[in-house]
């Protein structure tokens, strides 16, 4: 299912009190006793799911749209005066984004069609005018379920099933609406190659398919999620199915009653559709008007976390949403889209956005069509005689490669059949594809050429190395590798006002903290940045650092005009720092913190939010209250492994190791393939000196998460302490081959080399460590000691 809501905001988590290891600690860690002391990890916490509770029967109750009492009047009311715009909108995907399942709206084959997957058959049929699917339900038993709503139109259509508890669940078999000649007119599986049984997060009954949270907000107008945390049920309502006029212009009751009253969101009119090529004749759009338009589109065309549904168009984006930044897994290191990110984060990186281009310069917001066909949409600003030439793009202008979008806005296909253009609108950089491992748009057509050929050809034809607007890729790549100097490179980007705000915010986020002595970032400058993305990122980064020195700079953000910034500041100040607050600022802190808590309660249908509340209580010294929130997280989502791990860590700190082991075994009973759960159980067993059992758990963690340097390193240490030194060294060599700058692995490898008398290898590792930690005198002293040894 296409996912608009992102839980990344509520899953950036480490067990409370986690700290990375230093060189001296690593020397002691080689002993078994200190292996016990470093049992924390930065767990990977992908959002996961819990099944519904319905058997194979027709729902007793379903969520129903209801008239909103907050000023929404419906698109038909707008048609009386805005006839042209309404007529243009009626035939669009916006208008049909979600519709009740009827003969007019259902496009799939419900004439007793079947689809088989993993031994389970889905049968699509009609009875008494209803659209039904017969398939395995939440309990794994066959049942018949009614399709209540259609989701989307082209190039695929999904179907929503209403469960008795109010959940709208997106079925995982979708209808390909493309023509048969293009491979469409068929049922297809959205998750090929994945065996999804009931209880799996991605099974149609799982939390990842609960449309009330995941997607309905962008398919209806004025959604009120209506989640009841006490009953664990939904009563979702909306003022209008589909993306209506008021989804983009805000509630229209006051305007409908008196046209002199402006709509909450109105956008500057264009002088004409095409700008022309003379810059002097291009209409000037005030920055506030452009921002309002782009932020209105971003409400749905962005990967984001929703903070509240008491928000409408015309209000700042950051009052209702937190934008996902250029995170690993969402974007490639150079900013090209990787996962479904829905355009906004890409567009914010672009030169086009920095120069004042907005969505409606290229797209008609009512018809959803481009302002002009093909290259003509770009030629509104870019002269054809300069750019639509072989001299510019080195291809036949009449070919596909002569189309601007082919090279500057390549597509990535999501949901099996849905290609989407990358809106970062970048210069092709095959040289970065070679050095950073990012996609090479040139290789899309030249796949038969050897590696490096496209980069060589482009440089040769240009007469110089290619360059583009986005320059942050090498720094982000170095940071993700943990390479020497990466922090300095990130700090340079974070401090550079010429970089796009989303890039600066992402650099701050990658630094993981804002201690200027370590990062070179000026926290005061970042906290006072004009862009709320940077202010929020700085405040969030300080929440994992020592906040005390920055209380004076954080306090003004408690009154920031943007909610996302206020709540980030409140969370950073919560705990010891709040005791430093002047009396005059305590009310503002309480209000901002209450807003933060309200966001978590709004998202109480997710384990991540209960986890956030637990971490907040821990920051404020309320350990037992944290237990309650963690247990609730597990109850809401039994597959949310980080909650089990955090709870186990609290038990460990209270010296209740048997309870820690028990909760981790509970996690594995529900999530047997969780590497983090196996890892933490292995550490618990090490602390209990059950080494054979511990080794097996650590082995499974390392096997399930082969890209985790920490899991491989800890398993290697445990092997070495168990007398399996040769196996441990081979494993550690493999870790360093994949993660050459991992400090823990380098430290262990250096110590082991010293112990076996391999001075050359030890020096090689120590030299890398010195490059990573130039101020660590212990490393420098050890290098000098080894250099004084007589050659062997």
């Amino acid at each position: 299912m296409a996912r608009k809501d992102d839980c990344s905001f509520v899953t950036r988590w480490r067990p409370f009190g986690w700290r990375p290891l230093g060189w001296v600690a690593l020397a002691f860690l080689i002993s078994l006793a200190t292996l016990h002391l470093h049992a924390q990890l930065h767990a990977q916490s992908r959002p996961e799911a819990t099944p519904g509770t319905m058997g194979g029967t027709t729902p007793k109750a379903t969520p129903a749209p209801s008239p909103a009492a907050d000023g929404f009047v419906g698109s038909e009311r707008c048609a009386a005066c805005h006839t042209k715009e309404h007529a243009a909108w009626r035939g669009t995907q916006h208008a049909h984004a979600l519709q009740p399942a009827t003969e007019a709206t259902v496009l799939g084959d419900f004439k007793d069609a079947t689809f088989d997957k993993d031994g389970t058959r889905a049968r699509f049929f009609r009875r008494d005018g209803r659209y039904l699917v017969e398939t395995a339900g939440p309990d794994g038993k066959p049942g018949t379920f009614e399709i209540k709503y259609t989701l989307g139109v082209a190039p695929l259509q999904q179907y929503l099933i209403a469960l008795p508890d109010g959940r709208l669940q997106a079925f995982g078999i979708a209808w390909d609406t493309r023509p048969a000649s293009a491979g469409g007119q068929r049922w297809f599986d959205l998750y090929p190659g994945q065996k999804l049984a009931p209880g799996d997060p991605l099974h149609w009954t799982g939390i990842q398919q609960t449309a009330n949270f995941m997607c309905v907000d962008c398919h209806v107008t004025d959604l009120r999620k209506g989640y009841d945390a006490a009953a664990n049920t939904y009563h979702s309502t909306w003022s209008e199915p589909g993306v209506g006029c008021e989804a983009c212009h805000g509630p229209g009751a006051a305007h409908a009653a008196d046209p002199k009253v402006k709509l909450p969101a109105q956008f500057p009119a264009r002088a004409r559709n095409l700008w022309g090529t003379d810059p002097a004749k291009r209409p000037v759009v005030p920055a506030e008007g452009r921002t309002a338009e782009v932020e209105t589109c971003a409400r749905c065309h962005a990967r984001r976390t929703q903070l509240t549904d008491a928000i409408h168009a015309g209000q700042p984006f950051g009052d209702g949403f937190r934008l996902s930044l250029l995170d690993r897994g969402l974007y490639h290191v150079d900013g090209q889209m990787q996962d479904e990110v829905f355009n906004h984060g890409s567009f914010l990186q672009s030169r086009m956005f920095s120069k004042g281009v907005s969505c409606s310069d290229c797209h008609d917001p009512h018809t959803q069509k481009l302002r002009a066909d093909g290259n003509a949409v770009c030629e509104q600003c870019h002269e054809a005689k300069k750019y639509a030439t072989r001299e510019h793009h080195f291809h036949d202008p009449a070919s596909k490669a002569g189309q601007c979008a082919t090279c500057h806005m390549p597509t990535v296909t999501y949901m099996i059949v849905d290609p989407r253009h990358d809106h970062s609108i970048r210069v092709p950089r095959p040289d970065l594809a070679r050095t950073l491992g990012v996609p090479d748009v040139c290789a899309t057509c030249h796949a038969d050429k050897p590696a490096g050929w496209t980069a060589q050809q482009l440089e040769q034809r240009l007469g110089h190395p290619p360059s583009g607007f986005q320059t942050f890729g090498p720094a982000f790549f170095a940071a993700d590798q943990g390479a020497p100097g990466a922090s300095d490179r990130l700090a340079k980007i974070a401090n550079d006002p010429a970089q796009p705000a989303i890039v600066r915010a992402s650099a701050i986020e990658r630094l993981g903290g804002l201690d200027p002595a370590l990062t070179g970032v000026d926290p005061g400058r970042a906290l006072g940045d004009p862009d709320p993305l940077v202010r929020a990122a700085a405040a969030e980064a300080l929440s994992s650092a020592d906040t005390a020195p920055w209380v004076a700079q954080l306090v003004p953000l408690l009154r920031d005009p943007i909610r996302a910034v206020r709540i980030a500041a409140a969370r950073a100040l919560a705990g010891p720092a709040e005791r430093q607050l002047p009396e005059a600022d305590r009310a503002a802190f309480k209000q901002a913190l209450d807003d933060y808590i309200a966001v978590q309660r709004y998202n109480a249908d997710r384990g991540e939010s209960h986890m956030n509340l637990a971490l907040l209580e821990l920051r404020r010294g309320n350990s037992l209250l944290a237990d309650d929130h963690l247990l609730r997280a597990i109850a809401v989502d039994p597959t949310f492994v980080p909650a089990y791990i955090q709870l186990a860590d609290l038990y460990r700190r209270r010296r209740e190791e048997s309870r820690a082991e028990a909760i981790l075994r509970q996690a594995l009973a529900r999530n047997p393939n969780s590497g983090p759960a196996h890892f933490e159980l292995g550490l618990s067993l090490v602390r209990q000196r059950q080494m054979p059992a511990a080794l097996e758990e650590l082995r499974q963690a390392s096997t399930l998460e082969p890209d985790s340097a920490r899991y491989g390193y800890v398993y290697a240490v445990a092997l070495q302490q168990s007398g399996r030194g040769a196996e441990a060294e081979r494993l550690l060599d493999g870790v360093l081959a994949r993660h050459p700058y991992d400090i823990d692995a380098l430290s262990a490898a250096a110590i082991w080399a010293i112990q076996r008398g391999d001075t050359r290898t030890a020096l090689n590792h120590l030299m890398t460590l010195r490059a990573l930690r130039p101020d660590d005198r212990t490393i420098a002293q050890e290098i000098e000691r080894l250099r004084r040894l007589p050659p062997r």
Side-chain angles (χ1 to χ4, degrees):
M1 177 172 63
R3 177 169 67 179
K4 299 292 184 184
D5 243 304
D6 184 7
C7 291
S8 60
F9 175 55
V10 285
T11 57
R12 291 192 182 94
W13 159 82
R14 289 174 174 166
F16 193 75
W18 185 95
R19 291 291 184 271
L21 301 176
W23 162 256
V24 177
L26 248 298
F28 290 103
L29 183 59
I30 300 308
S31 72
L32 183 61
T34 20
L35 180 61
H36 303 168
L37 301 178
H38 299 283
Q40 314 309 317
L41 80 154
H42 182 186
Q44 297 177 355
S45 52
R46 65 180 179 88
E48 297 176 328
T50 182
T53 58
M54 179 187 177
T57 60
T58 301
K60 297 177 181 177
T62 62
S66 63
D70 49 5
F72 285 79
V73 296
S75 297
E76 291 307 312
R77 183 77 177 273
C78 305
C81 297
H82 303 280
T83 307
K84 180 180 176 182
E85 291 81 3
H86 185 269
W89 162 83
R90 284 189 65 179
T92 65
Q93 293 208 47
H94 278 173
H96 299 94
L98 180 143
Q99 295 291 302
T102 68
E103 193 165 351
T105 62
V106 173
L107 303 177
D109 178 5
F110 279 80
K111 298 176 182 177
D112 210 33
T114 60
F115 188 93
D116 295 321
K117 180 188 178 182
D118 300 328
T120 298
R121 168 164 290 188
R123 183 170 72 95
F124 302 89
F125 63 102
R126 295 184 64 181
R127 179 192 298 156
D128 300 328
R130 296 181 300 152
Y131 289 82
L132 305 168
V133 59
E134 183 181 83
T135 190
D139 55 5
K141 298 178 180 179
T144 299
F145 303 89
E146 183 178 1
I147 304 296
K148 298 299 291 187
Y149 301 102
T150 65
L151 196 69
V153 178
L156 70 152
Q157 186 174 70
Q158 284 188 269
Y159 299 98
L160 301 185
I161 296 170
L163 299 184
D165 55 9
R167 281 170 168 77
L168 288 170
Q169 298 295 130
F171 199 58
I173 308 299
W175 180 253
D176 186 339
T177 63
R178 299 174 301 167
S181 59
Q185 300 302 297
R186 63 183 176 113
W187 291 104
F188 71 100
D189 179 16
L190 287 166
Y191 305 97
Q194 300 185 54
K195 190 170 184 177
L196 305 176
D200 189 288
L202 290 174
H203 186 261
W204 76 265
T205 59
I207 199 171
Q208 289 300 85
Q209 305 295 355
T210 301
N212 313 63
F213 170 85
M214 296 297 294
C215 58
V216 171
D217 182 62
C218 288
H219 289 259
V220 301
T221 302
D222 190 34
L223 173 73
R224 297 306 165 109
K225 185 169 65 173
Y227 178 67
D228 183 336
N232 193 23
T233 60
Y234 292 88
H235 183 69
S236 300
T237 63
W238 48 82
S239 63
E240 180 179 4
V243 181
C245 306
E246 292 161 298
C248 301
H249 292 286
H255 177 74
D258 181 0
K260 293 179 182 179
V261 177
K262 290 185 177 182
L263 287 163
Q266 293 192 184
F267 312 111
R270 298 296 177 186
R272 57 186 182 278
N273 283 346
L274 299 183
W275 280 14
T277 56
D278 183 354
K281 295 180 180 178
R282 297 174 189 166
V284 176
V285 180
E288 59 272 16
R290 178 172 65 93
T291 299
E293 178 185 302
V294 172
E295 288 197 348
T296 293
C297 299
R299 289 165 56 85
C300 287
H301 293 277
R303 182 73 169 260
R304 80 289 197 275
T305 298
Q306 189 158 356
L307 309 180
T308 177
D309 54 17
I311 183 82
H312 59 69
Q315 295 174 307
F317 177 84
D319 275 359
F321 309 94
R322 180 204 181 273
L323 180 68
S324 296
L325 300 179
L326 306 182
D327 300 336
R328 294 184 69 177
L330 297 184
Y331 297 86
H332 295 285
V333 291
D334 66 340
Q336 292 188 68
M337 63 184 189
Q338 184 175 355
D339 203 355
E340 287 185 280
V341 290
F342 308 105
N343 301 339
H344 183 64
S346 300
F347 187 55
L348 292 185
Q349 308 169 41
S350 71
R351 186 190 296 274
M352 306 299 108
F353 177 75
S354 74
K355 295 297 184 182
V357 174
S358 59
C359 309
S360 67
D361 290 323
C362 301
H363 302 273
D364 185 305
H366 296 109
T367 66
Q368 293 185 248
K369 296 179 181 179
L370 289 174
R371 292 286 188 185
D373 293 332
N375 285 352
V377 72
C378 303
E379 290 164 3
Q380 295 178 100
C381 296
H382 302 280
E383 294 181 280
K385 64 183 180 182
K386 180 177 180 180
Y387 294 103
T389 64
R390 187 180 292 273
E391 289 72 26
H392 174 67
H393 50 61
F394 312 117
H395 294 88
D396 179 359
S399 69
K400 181 180 179 182
Q403 293 293 305
C404 307
T406 299
C407 300
H408 297 291
M409 301 180 68
T411 61
V412 178
T413 298
Y414 300 104
M415 303 183 78
I416 312 300
V417 298
D418 191 4
R420 303 177 197 165
H421 287 282
D422 190 322
H423 279 64
S424 55
I425 315 174
R426 59 185 61 241
V427 171
R429 293 293 304 273
D431 56 318
L432 295 184
R434 182 172 53 180
T435 58
L436 306 184
V438 297
D440 176 8
V441 65
C442 301
T444 304
C445 296
H446 300 287
D448 58 328
K449 302 299 183 182
W453 180 88
T454 54
Q456 180 185 30
Q457 286 291 311
L458 186 58
E459 182 171 347
Q460 179 180 324
R461 296 185 185 204
L462 288 172
H464 56 79
S467 61
F469 182 70
Q470 297 91 349
T471 60
F472 55 87
F476 282 17
F477 179 78
D480 290 352
Q481 297 294 309
S487 292
D488 291 340
R489 298 173 76 174
L490 287 177
K492 184 177 180 181
I493 290 172
N495 292 330
D496 182 3
Q499 291 285 344
I502 191 172
V503 174
R504 288 183 284 128
S506 300
I508 290 170
E509 182 182 76
R510 267 177 161 82
L511 283 165
L514 280 178
D515 183 344
L518 299 177
T519 67
V521 172
D522 180 353
R525 180 176 179 179
L527 292 169
D529 195 272
D531 196 286
L533 282 179
V534 179
R535 297 198 300 275
E540 288 173 14
L542 282 174
S543 69
S544 61
D546 181 9
T547 309
W550 305 105
V551 170
Q553 285 82 3
L554 281 164
V555 162
L557 299 190
L558 297 173
R559 300 176 177 87
D560 196 276
I562 303 300
R563 177 183 284 137
V565 179
R566 295 195 301 272
I567 65 175
R571 186 180 182 280
L573 288 166
E578 66 184 86
R579 292 191 284 274
Q580 301 179 34
L581 290 173
E583 187 64 34
D585 297 313
R586 292 185 180 275
F589 169 74
K590 182 180 184 304
Q591 180 60 58
L593 191 65
D594 286 347
D595 281 352
Y596 175 80
I597 293 169
V599 168
Q600 310 314 317
R601 289 176 176 166
Y602 169 73
N603 287 312
D605 46 346
R606 303 289 300 195
E608 296 91 341
S609 286
H610 296 284
M611 179 81 160
N612 270 358
L613 292 172
L615 295 177
L616 176 64
E617 296 297 349
L618 287 173
R619 288 178 70 89
R620 307 185 86 188
N622 302 322
S623 173
L624 294 179
L625 290 178
D627 285 21
D628 293 339
H629 289 301
L630 293 170
L631 289 169
R632 181 60 182 164
I634 293 168
V636 166
D637 182 1
T639 65
F640 185 53
V641 172
Y644 297 92
I645 293 175
Q646 183 67 65
L647 190 56
D649 189 59
L650 292 181
Y651 293 155
R652 175 190 65 81
R653 283 195 248 167
R654 297 170 191 150
R655 300 184 183 278
E656 298 178 88
E657 197 64 62
S658 61
R659 292 187 74 187
E661 178 186 347
I663 197 67
L664 291 168
R665 291 195 182 280
Q666 181 183 335
L668 284 167
R670 191 64 179 80
N671 308 276
N673 294 320
S674 169
H678 281 289
F679 181 75
E680 288 293 338
L681 178 57
L683 294 176
S684 176
L685 294 170
V686 166
R687 291 190 289 270
Q688 297 177 71
R689 301 186 180 277
Q690 300 178 34
M691 285 307 296
L695 280 172
E696 174 57 21
E697 295 301 327
L698 295 174
R699 182 195 68 77
Q700 289 198 56
S702 180
T703 301
L704 288 165
E705 304 280 349
D707 290 333
S708 170
R710 184 162 182 79
Y711 294 2
Y713 150 74
V714 171
Y715 181 37
V717 170
L719 286 171
Q720 198 261 2
Q721 288 298 309
S722 297
R724 297 160 64 177
E727 188 178 349
E729 288 183 14
R730 286 195 300 273
L731 178 62
L732 198 63
D733 287 343
V735 170
L736 286 171
R738 295 187 297 274
H739 305 278
Y741 303 114
D742 184 78
I743 289 176
D744 292 350
L746 282 166
S747 301
I751 291 171
W752 292 353
I754 292 168
Q755 290 175 344
R756 65 176 183 267
D758 187 350
T759 303
R760 176 178 295 180
T761 298
L763 279 170
N764 287 339
H765 291 317
L766 288 169
M767 294 297 287
T768 303
L769 280 168
R770 186 169 68 175
L772 291 166
R773 295 284 179 87
D775 298 327
D776 192 324
R777 295 183 61 188
T778 306
I779 297 172
Q781 290 168 359
E782 186 64 13
I783 289 173
E784 290 305 309
R785 185 187 73 81
L786 291 178
R787 283 176 171 170
R788 289 194 298 268
L789 293 177
R792 296 181 58 179

